[in-house]
Amino acid sequence: KIFMTLAAIVMVVSANAQDKWYGSKEGGFAITFNANPLLNYAGNMFNGTQNNSLADFEGLSNGLFNGTTVTGKYFLKDNLAINAGFGFNNVYDKTNNYDGNDKKVGFERDSRTRFMVKGGLEYRMFPGKRLQPLFGADIVFGHDNDFKYQEADGSGDTYAGAPKNKLGLMLSAGVEYFVIPQISVGANVNFGASKEWYRKSTEDHSRLKGTKTTIKTGDLGGNISLNFYF
């Protein structure tokens, strides 16, 4: 009787495990976050330093396109999804200059704006399983611009640094492991090719224009993500 009872329990557990579906099905959606900042914060918290970084593992999204922060996915089929993502970073710094009599004589204002958008397709093997290999292809656009404005003695002096636009194709391959049916952690490697158009301003305000073509896998060519499925 004990043996039969244990066998019945094993059969019930096995049946429940087989019925459990990890991730989204056709018509579902997901939200993906870049997990590198979270892991950096956790590392700083545990070892008491402030300089932990996964920069060497950020691959294309750091070195080629400056990175997406949030990506949304909609599942056309259980194993096929369309996705769209974006990332944004803006830094603004203003410094006032004073003379020996504590009189304001001018200021400097610096700003840097970066943003990136992408969209594409993702195909995954073994949908519904706890471990799911996946492959993706995305069209990516990125913009990076520096702007500097100086004013002294009532005169204005504008200096724009190096506005750049990038357009490219990014291919990726990776895997996701589901901690619970609705949450997974993922890692992927990337390969990409991009065309960049840029301008540069020199100190005498002359303008330089150019183009740049890049084909690379990034530093180590990968990203770590945290994914939520609905």
Side-chain angles (χ1 to χ4, degrees):
K1 291 183 179 180
I2 295 176
F3 176 78
M4 294 181 63
T5 302
L6 292 175
I9 293 175
V10 170
M11 291 179 63
V12 171
V13 172
S14 299
N16 289 336
Q18 292 175 358
D19 292 340
K20 187 175 293 185
W21 183 277
Y22 294 91
S24 295
K25 295 184 178 182
E26 180 179 338
F29 63 97
I31 299 177
T32 294
F33 297 92
N34 186 327
N36 295 345
L38 177 63
L39 295 177
N40 291 343
Y41 177 81
N44 293 338
M45 181 175 61
F46 281 107
N47 62 23
T49 67
Q50 298 296 321
N51 59 357
N52 284 297
S53 176
L54 292 175
D56 289 340
F57 196 63
E58 289 175 356
L60 284 181
S61 69
N62 179 56
L64 189 59
F65 294 111
N66 296 325
T68 51
T69 303
V70 180
T71 299
K73 303 176 184 180
Y74 176 78
F75 284 81
L76 303 173
K77 298 181 178 180
D78 292 349
N79 62 348
L80 183 66
I82 56 174
N83 70 75
F86 74 94
F88 182 81
N89 182 21
N90 180 262
V91 178
Y92 181 87
D93 183 18
K94 181 179 179 180
T95 303
N96 294 321
N97 300 321
Y98 297 87
D99 61 16
N101 297 319
D102 203 26
K103 178 182 178 182
K104 183 178 177 181
V105 294
F107 66 89
E108 298 179 5
R109 185 172 69 236
D110 296 275
S111 66
R112 183 170 191 177
T113 300
R114 290 180 175 180
F115 71 85
M116 168 189 161
V117 293
K118 75 180 184 75
L121 292 173
E122 179 185 276
Y123 172 82
R124 59 184 59 218
M125 301 173 62
F126 315 131
K129 302 298 183 181
R130 171 158 266 173
L131 190 66
Q132 301 180 22
L134 50 89
F135 305 90
D138 294 284
I139 300 295
V140 190
F141 174 78
H143 175 78
D144 188 337
N145 187 34
D146 292 318
F147 181 82
K148 184 175 183 179
Y149 180 84
Q150 296 176 314
E151 183 173 314
D153 301 326
S155 62
D157 183 16
T158 302
Y159 171 64
K164 296 179 291 186
N165 293 305
K166 296 181 183 180
L167 181 64
L169 173 67
M170 186 164 63
L171 306 177
S172 63
V175 64
E176 286 184 17
Y177 177 81
F178 283 81
V179 182
I180 61 174
Q182 291 78 35
I183 299 177
S184 73
V185 291
N188 66 281
V189 292
N190 301 315
F191 175 84
S194 71
K195 188 74 173 183
E196 176 182 312
W197 294 264
Y198 64 86
R199 293 185 298 170
K200 294 182 179 180
S201 296
T202 61
E203 294 296 340
D204 62 358
H205 305 291
S206 62
R207 304 291 287 174
L208 301 176
K209 296 182 180 181
T211 60
K212 179 180 179 181
T213 301
T214 302
I215 300 176
K216 64 182 292 188
T217 58
D219 297 324
L220 291 182
N223 292 284
I224 300 174
S225 62
L226 186 62
N227 314 284
F228 299 87
Y229 289 82
F230 305 90

